[in-house]
Amino acid sequence: MKCYQCGTCTADCTSANVNDGFNPRRMMLEYLEEGKLSELCWLCASCFKCYRCPKNVKPYEVMAEMRAEYIKMGKVPAYVKAFVETVKDYGELDETAFFIKLAKAGMIMDVSVILSTVRKRGVKAFALPKKSGCAKEVSKIFAVIERSFKDSLRDESRDEEGVKRPLVSGVPA
Amino acid sequence: MKLAFFPGCSAKSSAEYAISALQLMKKLGIDVFCSDFNCCGTHIVEEYNRDIWLALNARNLSIAEEEGADIVTICPACYQNLKKAAILLEDESVRRNVNGVLASVGRKYEGGVSVYHVLEIVKEFAGEISVNSNLRVAAYYGCQILRPPEIGIDNAENPSIFEDFLKKVGFKLVKFKAKSDCCGGTLLLSNPEGFKSRSKSILDEAKKSGADCVATLCPLCQFSLEIVQNGIEVLPFTSLIVQNL
Ligand code: SF4
Ligand code: SF4
């Protein structure tokens, strides 16, 4: 395997710094050697500090791969689902719509975050959700790709292992 | 050069940054306009469905292309997503597939649109900007403007593009050890305590360095540092300039 367990990634890692259990070196070993996913991947800060890996393993990409695996299995954290659905419906991350979706999923924002938003934006912090001009086109793009994804599960565009081939990008996630 | 302005979703909570960036570019005589862009998707949509992520970014690129413009954004995350997509879309077969989807919304992307962060644009005009200020500034890069190195706008290990620019326009810069550390803003929802301790350590370091204020170039960094404020002023770099002209 490419990773030789030097620990450079862990030493530089933002998330390891604020969460004792978060150890990219160990996560690389377990995933790349044994294919073992770790829920901790959701706590990666996407800071790319681990680019210094002397073996160019790119732990930040491996973290993203693990998250994509979870999503494929349908194990999607509430905030990810709320984010994607907000973009799909509104064309952009309408904050009010996002916060409402989060609250519906039982996730309440940290009080200091809410206070800071209110302090900055005044009454506008309570603005009603508003679809941006591009919302229709964006929803359409989601629908077109999601439909062809469903089709691909039925027809021959499924490859030998039964995994969906990328429909558009030609580059696996 | 004609530029389409891409504020990005988090610019709404840092409206000051978007407004001042536009003001500064207009003042410098740059031909910049706003358009009907959608969210870049961020890594969240990319991990949810990479095809959708690519098509969303292709839509944005196609809008700039239609106007004969390149894209300028204030947000390092949008910069990174648009740029990554633009690189992928230089491949003709990828573009053909994506155009199959874009056709459903009446659009098409031919390729060749460049993506810039606003710092890359205004730094070319440094000689035309002169501020009247004695502020000692800590220039804060954060993460995504520098890393990963193949996308970043300067040397990830030892960047100087931001300080060099602010110095040229007339600010005094302090040596800021935390300049490319992470504010933890992306942990806002998943680990709020972790996020606060990261942001706080950035501001504590800025205080130690003797700075009067912190200049940011990322809306999420700006938002995060404001939440944990410790008395030191935090400003988007374009506001800092416009306020001191
Ligand atoms: S990208 Fe994730 S794994 Fe890599 S250093 Fe940052 S927080 Fe750690
Ligand atoms: S991923 Fe790279 S930096 Fe991390 S332990 Fe393995 S070889 Fe070292």
Side-chain angles (χ1 to χ4, degrees):
Chain A
M1 124 169 159
K2 272 168 77 194
C3 166
Y4 59 12
Q5 294 287 292
C6 66
T8 305
C9 52
T10 308
D12 287 338
C13 176
T14 300
S15 290
N17 182 280
V18 293
N19 184 336
D20 286 340
F22 192 93
N23 185 325
R25 179 195 54 77
R26 194 164 61 222
M27 290 157 84
M28 292 308 110
L29 177 70
E30 292 176 350
Y31 180 68
L32 299 174
E33 290 267 284
E34 303 158 25
K36 201 173 140 209
L37 293 174
S38 166
E39 303 249 6
L40 287 167
C41 65
W42 296 107
L43 290 173
C44 160
S46 298
C47 69
F48 304 96
K49 282 245 170 181
C50 46
Y51 81 93
R52 284 200 187 109
C53 166
K55 298 285 275 179
N56 203 24
V57 169
K58 301 191 176 166
Y60 53 85
E61 278 184 9
V62 179
M63 297 287 171
E65 203 177 300
M66 284 199 239
R67 292 191 293 264
E69 286 290 323
Y70 275 118
I71 292 172
K72 263 187 219 131
M73 288 156 47
K75 293 189 178 164
V76 190
Y79 71 90
V80 170
K81 201 159 174 270
F83 186 102
V84 172
E85 280 175 1
T86 306
V87 173
K88 182 176 176 170
D89 296 346
Y90 290 84
E92 57 183 13
L93 192 74
D94 182 281
E95 281 172 355
T96 315
F98 180 54
F99 290 159
I100 292 172
K101 283 187 203 285
L102 281 179
K104 275 190 184 151
M107 264 186 101
I108 306 298
M109 287 293 269
D110 192 271
V111 180
S112 61
V113 175
I114 297 173
L115 284 180
S116 174
T117 313
V118 173
R119 193 163 54 228
K120 277 219 74 173
R121 300 176 63 197
V123 284
K124 271 202 254 143
F126 304 102
L128 291 173
K130 191 170 159 284
K131 293 199 179 189
S132 71
C134 61
K136 255 199 189 133
E137 285 187 34
V138 168
S139 304
K140 181 93 201 233
I141 288 173
F142 267 83
V144 167
I145 294 178
E146 278 173 346
R147 188 168 1 126
S148 62
F149 174 73
K150 279 199 199 100
D151 290 347
S152 76
L153 292 178
R154 269 185 263 116
D155 66 28
E156 70 291 347
S157 62
R158 226 164 122 150
D159 66 20
E160 307 88 64
E161 295 113 302
V163 182
K164 174 195 83 93
R165 280 205 302 262
L167 298 165
V168 177
S169 56
V171 190
Chain B
M1 185 186 350
K2 196 169 166 191
L3 291 171
F5 183 60
F6 191 97
C9 303
S10 44
K12 275 207 218 129
S13 36
S14 302
E16 197 189 347
Y17 186 13
I19 293 166
S20 61
L22 263 181
Q23 271 176 343
L24 182 60
M25 284 191 281
K26 293 231 162 101
K27 227 173 218 141
L28 294 169
I30 298 167
D31 184 7
V32 58
F33 66 98
C34 297
S35 206
D36 181 26
F37 290 124
N38 55 263
C39 170
C40 75
T42 77
H43 70 92
I44 297 182
V45 175
E46 186 183 2
E47 288 153 18
Y48 172 77
N49 184 322
R50 198 152 197 242
D51 293 345
I52 292 176
W53 167 81
L54 190 59
L56 290 183
N57 282 287
R59 179 187 175 274
N60 288 331
L61 291 161
S62 79
I63 288 176
E65 183 175 65
E66 211 178 302
E67 301 284 341
D70 288 322
I71 293 183
V72 60
T73 178
I74 56 175
C75 175
C78 299
Y79 165 78
Q80 189 165 116
N81 279 272
L82 283 159
K83 185 131 177 173
K84 255 166 71 180
I87 292 170
L88 285 173
L89 289 162
E90 284 310 295
D91 181 314
E92 209 201 307
S93 67
V94 171
R95 214 164 52 233
R96 197 176 332 113
N97 290 338
V98 175
N99 278 331
V101 174
L102 287 189
S104 68
V105 293
R107 299 193 184 271
K108 191 174 183 192
Y109 180 57
E110 304 278 3
V113 170
S114 299
V115 179
Y116 301 101
H117 183 268
V118 62
L119 175 58
E120 294 179 284
I121 299 295
V122 296
K123 88 174 192 1
E124 297 302 322
F125 296 80
E128 294 170 37
I129 308 170
S130 163
V131 297
N132 188 359
S133 162
N134 288 317
L135 286 175
R136 279 162 308 170
V137 180
Y140 179 49
Y141 291 84
C143 300
Q144 304 202 356
I145 198 74
L146 297 172
R147 298 184 292 269
E150 57 277 19
I151 302 278
I153 68 169
D154 198 5
N155 184 315
E157 217 45 61
N158 193 14
S160 67
I161 185 173
F162 198 17
E163 296 98 316
D164 291 347
F165 168 68
L166 292 174
K167 237 182 252 167
K168 263 191 209 151
V169 306
F171 289 109
K172 291 187 190 68
L173 273 291
V174 299
K175 201 166 162 33
F176 184 32
K177 274 197 278 179
K179 67 180 180 181
S180 58
D181 283 352
C182 176
C183 73
T186 47
L187 301 174
L188 202 112
L189 292 164
S190 54
N191 180 0
E193 287 316 310
F195 140 67
K196 274 186 251 174
S197 90
R198 287 310 311 148
S199 275
K200 213 177 144 299
S201 80
I202 306 280
L203 288 188
D204 289 347
E205 190 58 45
K207 240 185 186 168
K208 248 195 263 163
S209 71
D212 302 309
C213 74
V214 177
T216 63
L217 47 66
C218 168
L220 185 58
C221 294
Q222 176 69 29
F223 184 72
S224 305
L225 296 185
E226 274 174 22
I227 290 173
V228 300
Q229 52 188 275
N230 68 350
I232 195 164
E233 204 176 359
V234 182
L235 280 170
F237 81 101
T238 47
S239 307
L240 186 64
I241 292 174
V242 171
Q243 283 176 18
N244 287 287
L245 282 177

